Amino acid sequence: MIPKDCKRLAEVDFPIAEVSRHAAREKSIRHGHPSTLHLWWARRPLASCRAILLGLLWPDPCDPLCPQEFKKAARLHLPKLPHCNPGKTDEELRRALLRFIADFANWDNAGNPAYLEVSRALVKAAYPDEPPLVVDPFAGGGSIPLEALRVGCDAFASDLNPVACLILKVMLEDIPRHGPKLAEELRRVGAEIKKEAEKELADLYPQDPDGATPIAYLWARTVRCEAPNCGAEIPLVRSFWLCKKPNRKQALRPVRVDGSLRSGGSVQFEIFTPKTDREVPAGTVSRAKATCIACGSVLPPERVRAQLAAQRGGADVVFDARGRRTGGARLLAVVTLRPGETGRHYRLPAERDYEAVRTAQKRLAKILEEWERSGKQGPCPVPDEPLPPVGTLGFRVQRYGMLQWGDLFTARQKVALVTLGRLARERPREDGDAVRTAMAWW
Ligand SMILES: [Zn+2]
């Protein structure tokens, strides 16, 4: 046991510059890093968690109270690694331990068996009776407990947020328990679900007649100009640029029909290749105000909010009984990939793009009807719980009439998410709990 008054390594020194460098580099690692498993907003770099844990767990060899067994073990194990020569004196040993901590902070060494063995051997030497328990009651993305497990501690992690709990369960329990087999199973089950979902959702995401595949729909919420004698529809966009890459520049601009920018109450657009930035019109929204493209009038923030609130946020298209769009969200452009060609293409929306959305709205209505007919068994397929009060964690969308979680999505997104959720839920028990839990992630 380390005596209570014995200083820990981190109390006397810490290789902060090197650990910071490794922590910063970790942010750009996209492949094979736990952070890519699931988004977490305040994820701590593993490099700094690993380094500070060792700095806090290990005693300072220069402290007269430092257990001799720890120093002996350190002198025995450190020479197994490059640049970690423990020398003869306590100062040299301290430097070697700090060197080890700095090098082990490198993500490339995090799975290196030599570093793992030495770190665990020295934690064991400092705590010969039983592994130390690292407790993190608000563990979030789980960096601290993950690194505690890596260096041979026991870990306890919890969080109030259910997303964080799910991340912790999969990363700290299921992955260590099942290893690479879990990844394999996940790929197999994921591929099956993808295939089935593609089949069920095909008519909501139709291919173009020329074989191109739409990969993104660029929507805008809309409000109406309130200037006398205008009433034009204003799509709310920050920028009319579609692509700013040199040689591929594309943008939208309003077209005059019969000399007027307004035709039937709405402004028509075309896609063009701007030669200079000045040819691209300014966006219509700035600081929550909206500027009318047709007459230049400005709609103040409270009117923009009121109009959007009346559309419950305005994410959905409003159709009349004959299926014609009369308001709500407006499709400005569709991004497509063409077979055999590289690069993205941009085209104006066609009738079939809106038709697919109408199909999605009908499908969603049916899903909700079935749930009602079942006597509302289980939770609503589209989350109908209220959003937290305005201001919670930066939530401010409630002022725009988005009051329930479901309001954050369009009808098509809801159908796609409900479908994926159902397919994951309907998987047989034989898939195993770990696969089913991990599937819920995605
Ligand atoms: Zn106007």
Side-chain angles (χ1 to χ4, degrees):
M1 234 354 228
I2 307 167
K4 199 169 158 277
D5 292 327
C6 173
K7 280 206 159 58
R8 307 300 170 109
L9 204 47
E11 292 181 89
V12 293
D13 204 353
F14 187 73
I16 193 156
E18 274 164 286
V19 172
S20 297
R21 196 162 50 78
H22 291 308
R25 186 188 148 236
E26 212 182 283
K27 293 262 169 204
S28 59
I29 296 171
R30 293 268 171 273
H31 202 76
H33 193 275
S35 62
T36 57
L37 286 172
H38 197 289
L39 181 76
W40 185 251
W41 294 265
R43 197 178 278 282
R44 307 294 167 219
L46 301 182
S48 43
C49 295
R50 185 157 59 246
I52 199 66
L53 273 169
L54 292 180
L56 292 172
L57 289 163
W58 289 346
D60 171 26
C62 297
D63 192 303
L65 295 172
C66 180
Q68 287 304 321
E69 300 76 48
F70 176 76
K71 292 204 255 187
K72 226 164 81 189
R75 289 191 190 284
L76 175 73
H77 290 291
L78 284 172
K80 294 175 187 166
L81 295 160
H83 320 300
C84 292
N85 182 359
K88 297 266 180 289
T89 66
D90 289 342
E91 282 78 17
E92 284 173 300
L93 182 57
R94 180 201 274 173
R95 269 203 299 279
L97 286 166
L98 291 167
R99 177 79 258 151
F100 177 90
I101 289 177
D103 290 348
F104 193 25
N106 186 343
W107 173 246
D108 300 335
N109 292 336
N112 181 322
Y115 281 92
L116 290 172
E117 265 169 45
V118 172
S119 65
R120 288 172 192 169
L122 296 194
V123 168
K124 196 160 176 10
Y127 304 85
D129 302 331
E130 56 178 345
L133 174 65
V134 173
V135 177
D136 187 352
F138 296 101
S143 297
I144 293 170
L146 179 70
E147 291 308 318
L149 293 177
R150 191 192 304 276
V151 298
C153 303
D154 286 340
F156 174 87
S158 64
D159 204 292
L160 291 174
N161 186 306
V163 177
C165 282
L166 199 61
I167 294 176
L168 296 170
K169 183 182 181 312
V170 174
M171 195 169 69
L172 305 174
E173 286 180 12
D174 295 345
I175 294 177
R177 188 170 295 149
H178 301 282
K181 207 177 137 260
L182 180 59
E184 247 168 67
E185 275 297 280
L186 215 52
R187 279 194 201 97
R188 181 184 67 80
V189 172
E192 285 177 22
I193 291 182
K194 180 167 180 272
K195 206 170 136 201
E196 184 57 36
E198 277 174 356
K199 209 163 73 191
E200 287 192 25
L201 299 171
D203 56 338
L204 306 190
Y205 298 91
Q207 293 245 314
D208 283 4
D210 65 357
T213 308
I215 55 162
Y217 299 95
L218 306 179
W219 291 94
R221 291 179 162 81
T222 64
V223 291
R224 287 231 168 250
C225 176
E226 293 179 352
N229 306 322
C230 184
E233 184 181 81
I234 312 174
L236 301 174
V237 285
R238 287 197 185 284
S239 161
F240 281 108
W241 278 101
L242 295 171
C243 180
K244 274 191 153 181
K245 281 190 194 145
N247 302 329
R248 308 192 77 104
K249 287 189 179 173
Q250 297 270 274
L252 285 163
R253 71 179 164 201
V255 241
R256 285 179 189 277
V257 180
D258 301 331
S260 163
L261 276 171
R262 228 174 330 145
S263 85
S266 81
V267 176
Q268 301 303 310
F269 291 92
E270 65 179 0
I271 295 173
F272 75 113
T273 306
K275 290 189 192 65
T276 67
D277 290 7
R278 300 225 325 256
E279 288 172 32
V280 181
T284 55
V285 203
S286 155
R287 294 163 178 256
K289 292 183 301 231
T291 306
C292 174
I293 301 168
C295 75
S297 301
V298 174
L299 203 60
E302 60 275 16
R303 289 304 306 152
V304 174
R305 274 202 289 274
Q307 286 203 32
L308 286 175
Q311 305 171 46
R312 211 160 175 165
D316 260 320
V317 187
V318 180
F319 294 101
D320 67 13
R322 279 181 297 176
R324 278 182 321 206
R325 175 182 175 272
T326 56
R330 176 168 170 183
L331 191 52
L332 291 179
V334 180
V335 191
T336 66
L337 291 178
R338 291 182 189 160
E341 285 181 44
T342 53
R344 298 167 168 207
H345 292 270
Y346 298 85
R347 65 164 171 83
L348 290 173
E351 202 37 57
R352 65 176 181 278
D353 295 313
Y354 283 112
E355 193 49 49
V357 170
R358 219 163 92 86
T359 309
Q361 289 186 357
K362 286 186 203 153
R363 181 101 47 99
L364 181 66
K366 222 172 106 198
I367 291 170
L368 292 171
E369 249 170 55
E370 273 168 26
W371 175 67
E372 300 227 346
R373 255 209 316 275
S374 78
K376 299 194 176 182
Q377 277 207 356
C380 180
V382 174
D384 58 354
E385 295 88 350
L387 286 174
V390 178
T392 311
L393 294 171
F395 267 98
R396 291 188 301 270
V397 295
Q398 297 91 334
R399 295 189 189 128
Y400 293 89
M402 287 173 255
L403 304 174
Q404 302 176 349
W405 290 99
D407 297 338
L408 300 175
F409 303 93
T410 69
R412 180 160 51 186
Q413 288 171 329
K414 284 176 205 166
V415 175
L417 289 168
V418 167
T419 305
L420 287 168
R422 174 173 51 75
L423 292 173
R425 216 169 34 248
E426 286 174 353
R427 294 292 307 180
R429 282 253 151 241
E430 294 82 72
D431 283 350
D433 279 348
V435 171
R436 290 158 56 89
T437 308
M439 229 47 248
W441 257 23
W442 286 285

